[in-house]
Amino acid sequence: MGSVFPGEVESLKSIRLDLRSWVEVETYLKHYKGIILPIGSTEQHGPTGAIGTDSITAEAVALEVGRRTGIYVTPTQSFGMAEHHLGFPGTMSLKPTTLIAVMHDLILSLASHGFERIFVINGHGGNISSVKAAFAQAYDSVRARNLSVSPYLRCKLVNWFMAEQVFIEARKLYGDSEGQHATPSEIALTLFLEPSLLMKQIELPKASPAGPIHGPEDFRRRYPDGRMGSAPHLAKPKHGESFLAKASFALSEDLSNFLAAS
Ligand code: NI
């Protein structure tokens, strides 16, 4: 019995599924059954944050977890469930039922080729319930279709921004100004990954406090500039570098446990 993952690789390019051939994937599957699927969202992140924040961050963490473990990383599912952000231009959302269908189909594609451990690295809280519903549907489908993977398929969702060390660090750096949306921690990671975003950073007035989430009109009324209790101008690129290290370290541990478990 070999290890459940290949181990650290030199280059991110060697773990990107989109840069592999089917022959390489088939060979990989003879030894390893795990794969990482990043999911984000394309949605407003306050007046100074990038629309792609949740996808940019989830992808970076996923690739870093892939680099540390050698586990393949699929292209990012960059559209998520962001209905409540549709009051702001640039937001592109999938309805919950659409996202469930998309994730279900992606998991079924992977499972039909023998991937048994699907590790979803998520960058957006709004995706959680739909992704979990998709897992339940996928288990049902592999059974109904009598796929050979059926008894072995396991799917797991992890949120990089909720990794314990990330959470502690965000509290330490920003206190209550971390807020709930367009948070300085996620913005810091985008600043580290894409320095051109620094030009947008200006000090903002105090945000509306975080509260309930309903429809898009209600959201814009409660949170007029799109932020929920956050002060994204506190974000620094070097914080982002630290968040990336902490998140990828914690999630690599999670992944190795997930791959090793029955
Ligand atoms: Ni976000």
Side-chain angles (χ1 to χ4, degrees):
M1 257 286 281
S3 171
V4 288
F5 55 81
E8 188 164 330
V9 295
E10 289 279 303
S11 159
L12 290 178
K13 290 189 179 149
S14 65
I15 45 95
R16 278 178 48 177
L17 181 74
D18 60 352
L19 299 178
R20 306 272 67 77
S21 70
W22 73 259
V23 177
E24 288 173 295
V25 178
E26 196 167 79
T27 304
Y28 173 94
L29 275 166
K30 291 195 176 115
H31 305 279
Y32 307 110
K33 302 297 179 193
I35 193 155
I36 300 166
L37 196 169
I39 180 170
S41 182
T42 300
E43 67 183 44
Q44 70 85 14
H45 270 75
T48 57
I51 298 279
T53 295
D54 294 347
S55 296
I56 293 166
T57 53
E59 179 166 284
V61 173
L63 288 171
E64 185 55 19
V65 173
R67 192 191 65 73
R68 286 167 181 257
T69 57
I71 292 293
Y72 281 179
V73 180
T74 75
T76 301
Q77 170 58 31
S78 292
F79 300 108
M81 203 299 285
E83 297 291 288
H84 47 293
H85 293 296
L86 281 170
F88 297 88
T91 299
M92 298 168 74
S93 173
L94 302 180
K95 292 194 297 285
T97 48
T98 313
L99 182 58
I100 293 168
V102 168
M103 290 300 286
H104 167 271
D105 291 0
L106 298 179
I107 292 165
L108 262 283
S109 305
L110 294 166
S112 71
H113 300 131
F115 284 101
E116 295 174 359
R117 295 288 185 279
I118 319 288
F119 192 68
V120 176
I121 294 186
N122 179 37
H124 171 53
N127 291 335
I128 295 172
S129 51
S130 302
V131 172
K132 289 192 170 169
F135 291 170
Q137 278 210 299
Y139 295 134
D140 184 58
S141 294
V142 291
R143 197 169 127 261
R145 294 180 199 181
N146 217 0
L147 296 184
S148 56
V149 76
S150 173
Y152 313 109
L153 180 66
R154 310 277 183 272
C155 305
K156 186 173 167 74
L157 173 79
V158 290
N159 304 294
W160 76 263
F161 52 93
M162 283 166 70
E164 193 182 3
Q165 293 307 316
V166 171
F167 197 79
I168 291 169
E169 177 87 343
R171 278 279 143 194
K172 199 173 87 190
L173 287 169
Y174 314 123
D176 286 344
S177 302
E178 168 73 352
Q180 303 263 322
H181 182 66
T183 62
S185 57
E186 60 180 340
I187 299 302
L189 183 43
T190 66
L191 297 179
F192 172 64
L193 296 165
E194 182 48 65
S196 70
L197 295 172
L198 267 169
M199 291 181 341
K200 294 193 225 302
Q201 284 284 87
I202 49 162
E203 185 160 349
L204 297 168
K206 197 168 168 50
S208 303
I213 295 176
H214 303 295
E217 294 86 6
D218 181 78
F219 190 101
R220 186 151 181 169
R221 187 176 55 73
R222 286 175 197 272
Y223 316 109
D225 77 356
R227 294 177 296 150
M228 298 173 73
S230 67
H233 53 272
L234 300 176
K236 299 276 181 288
K238 68 175 193 305
H239 302 163
E241 185 176 19
S242 161
F243 286 128
L244 180 59
K246 286 180 192 312
S248 57
F249 180 80
L251 299 193
S252 298
E253 293 258 308
D254 275 4
L255 174 59
S256 86
N257 293 334
F258 175 59
L259 294 175
S262 63

